[in-house]
Each structure stands twice: as structure tokens, then as C-alpha cells.
Amino acid sequence: MPITKALQTEAAGAFKPMQALKFEGEYPFAKYNFEDKELPVDVSLNVFNPFTPMDLKNSSIPCAIYQVTVTNNNAHSVTVDILSSQKMH
């Protein structure tokens, strides 16, 4: 049975939110560990920017790098699809 979730704690249109999350942050890194009893997998999101100490040029690149990790902790095979979208202003 397919389950669709938004990787956030608020609904996004028709996508239900994750039940909870734990955040760990230390600039320039952020780690989100999502918790949801409906899902048969664990989901985490690591986000960082290419900060290089004492290197203004390379540290000023306006970007963020997102890494989603999905871990299957049971004996059953699970198929996971991830879709990313970001609203630009």
C-alpha cells in the first residue's frame, strides 16, 4: 500500500506531514531525523552549504546541498521514491 508524505511537519497540499522530527544543527550542517510510525523506513535529511573557513569567494556560493537517507530496518523489501521541489522567490 503506497504511503506519501511531505518531509516536513506541516501538510503540503495533499501530502500529509511527518509525525515528528528531531533537529541537530551546527553551522554549516543541519540534520533532520524524521519520525513517522506509518512508514516502514527511517528517513533523515542532511543539509549544508559549501562553507570554507577563510575563503570568502568559495563560501559565498548561494546554495544548499540536500542529502536524503532512507533506511529499511525490516526484512521486507520496500520501494522508495523521493521528489524534491523548492519554491523560489
Side-chain angles (χ1 to χ4, degrees):
M1 170 190 232
I3 301 171
T4 304
K5 295 281 185 155
L7 287 183
Q8 56 192 43
T9 55
E10 294 183 11
F15 300 116
K16 295 192 313 185
M18 300 294 277
Q19 292 173 351
L21 72 82
K22 291 182 181 173
F23 173 79
E24 300 172 34
E26 189 171 322
Y27 186 79
F29 302 100
K31 182 169 185 172
Y32 300 85
N33 291 308
F34 294 95
E35 299 174 357
D36 198 308
K37 293 177 183 173
E38 277 189 80
L39 296 178
V41 295
D42 293 332
V43 182
S44 65
L45 171 66
N46 292 310
V47 183
F48 65 96
N49 75 338
F51 174 73
T52 307
M54 307 301 291
D55 187 344
L56 180 62
K57 179 182 176 189
N58 289 316
S59 294
S60 300
I61 298 170
C63 74
I65 298 164
Y66 296 80
Q67 178 185 27
V68 177
T69 302
V70 179
T71 305
N72 183 2
N73 293 319
N74 61 61
H76 305 296
S77 178
V78 176
T79 300
V80 176
D81 294 311
I82 297 173
L83 169 68
S84 175
S85 176
Q86 186 167 346
K87 187 175 185 178
M88 302 298 286
H89 294 280

